[in-house]
Amino acid sequence: SLFRLLEPHIEILVLGTGDRVERLHSGMLKQMRECGIAVEVQDTPNACATFNFLVSEKRIVAAGLIP
């Protein structure tokens, strides 16, 4: 529900899952799609790079990063 409240509306959520890519629960991915948010899951170093690239393109992006 938090993502529905944010303004401006997030286009992409980049998740960094530490040293390796972890699978997300399919229910969570479904909820994000229903909110119109694309989800990109990567290891954290690549997630940081992806986040920075998307910001440089002026995309509305958020990141959740696990060290």
Side-chain angles (χ1 to χ4, degrees):
S1 63
L2 171 66
F3 293 107
R4 294 174 196 255
L5 299 174
L6 295 176
E7 286 293 331
H9 182 75
I10 296 170
E11 296 174 31
I12 303 169
L13 174 63
V14 180
L15 295 176
T17 57
D19 294 335
R20 59 192 172 118
V21 177
E22 300 287 338
R23 299 189 79 124
L24 296 181
H25 189 275
S26 61
M28 181 191 160
L29 293 173
K30 181 181 176 192
Q31 282 185 310
M32 299 304 283
R33 279 193 303 270
E34 288 171 356
C35 289
I37 300 171
V39 178
E40 183 69 34
V41 182
Q42 302 175 337
D43 60 89
T44 299
N46 285 317
C48 290
T50 299
F51 175 81
N52 289 333
F53 177 77
L54 292 169
V55 168
S56 75
E57 288 189 328
K58 308 289 190 227
R59 305 289 297 270
I60 306 299
V61 59
L65 304 170
I66 297 171

